[in-house]
Amino acid sequence: MGDAFWNIDWHGMFVPTHSLLELVMRGTITYLAIFALLRFVRKRQAGGIGTTDVLVIVLVAEVAGNAFAAEYTSIVEGMVLVGTVLFWTYALEWAAHRFPSIERVLRAPTLVLIENGKMLHRNMRAELVTKEELMAQLREHGLEDCAHVKRACMEADGMISVIKTEGHG
């Protein structure tokens, strides 16, 4: 236990074994590819948090976790990948905030599910929302009948917002 316990491979921990530019490119391609795939998955799949949030959590956990395992990569390589993921997260959020045309591509549009008390079945089918699921959401907002709903929408984050008709608020 003596030598193995105190012997630290400082060189292996901090000296990259791969090209840092290659790591940035791999991180960039992986991030953008997964982002594109998740963007076109139905909104409900993301739940209550945004697609970008899910992507960042998963990718940062993966690349940071790999930096802990000595047989895989150095800490520097792991931090380059984490930095790449965080850079693209910030860059895409900044671009979406600054340019409306980019925001339309990056963020799913709001989809109306109920308009003036009428369920829009075509839109419900598009997001795989059943009548029972929609009614459960209405009950959570204190409504038992969609006739009392001015508008209900599935938002970009997968949550359903409800605007009640006058007199039911």
Side-chain angles (χ1 to χ4, degrees):
M1 179 168 162
D3 286 339
F5 182 75
W6 296 106
N7 191 10
I8 298 173
D9 181 10
W10 293 102
H11 185 269
M13 280 186 3
F14 292 104
V15 177
T17 57
H18 297 88
S19 159
L20 296 183
L21 181 58
E22 178 185 341
L23 290 171
V24 169
M25 292 307 300
R26 285 176 179 271
T28 297
I29 292 167
T30 302
Y31 181 90
L32 295 176
I34 294 173
F35 183 88
L37 290 170
L38 289 176
R39 166 59 182 89
F40 296 107
V41 170
R42 303 207 184 282
K43 288 179 263 186
R44 285 171 30 113
Q45 304 300 321
I49 61 176
T51 300
T52 303
D53 300 324
V54 173
L55 181 61
V56 169
I57 291 166
V58 169
L59 289 178
V60 168
E62 176 64 24
V63 298
N66 287 339
F68 291 121
E71 65 273 8
Y72 176 72
T73 186
S74 70
I75 292 171
V76 172
E77 290 168 318
M79 292 303 102
V80 166
L81 287 171
V82 168
T84 301
V85 167
L86 295 178
F87 166 79
W88 280 110
T89 299
Y90 179 81
L92 291 175
E93 290 295 324
W94 177 86
H97 179 73
R98 182 142 174 139
F99 304 103
S101 59
I102 293 176
E103 181 177 27
R104 282 190 295 275
V105 171
L106 296 180
R107 301 201 202 302
T110 299
L111 185 66
V112 179
L113 301 176
I114 298 175
E115 184 78 54
N116 296 320
K118 304 273 190 230
M119 289 186 186
L120 303 178
H121 295 284
R122 171 190 250 176
N123 291 355
M124 291 169 59
R125 274 192 303 275
E127 289 299 330
L128 304 175
V129 175
T130 66
K131 180 181 177 181
E132 291 75 24
E133 289 172 319
L134 187 53
M135 292 306 296
Q137 289 293 316
L138 295 183
R139 287 189 295 277
E140 286 183 17
H141 287 85
L143 296 167
E144 291 190 49
D145 186 353
C146 67
H148 302 146
V149 177
K150 180 177 181 180
R151 177 178 272 201
C153 300
M154 178 165 292
E155 303 297 340
D157 64 0
M159 303 301 284
I160 296 176
S161 62
V162 177
I163 300 170
K164 301 172 185 178
T165 58
E166 297 287 325
H168 290 93

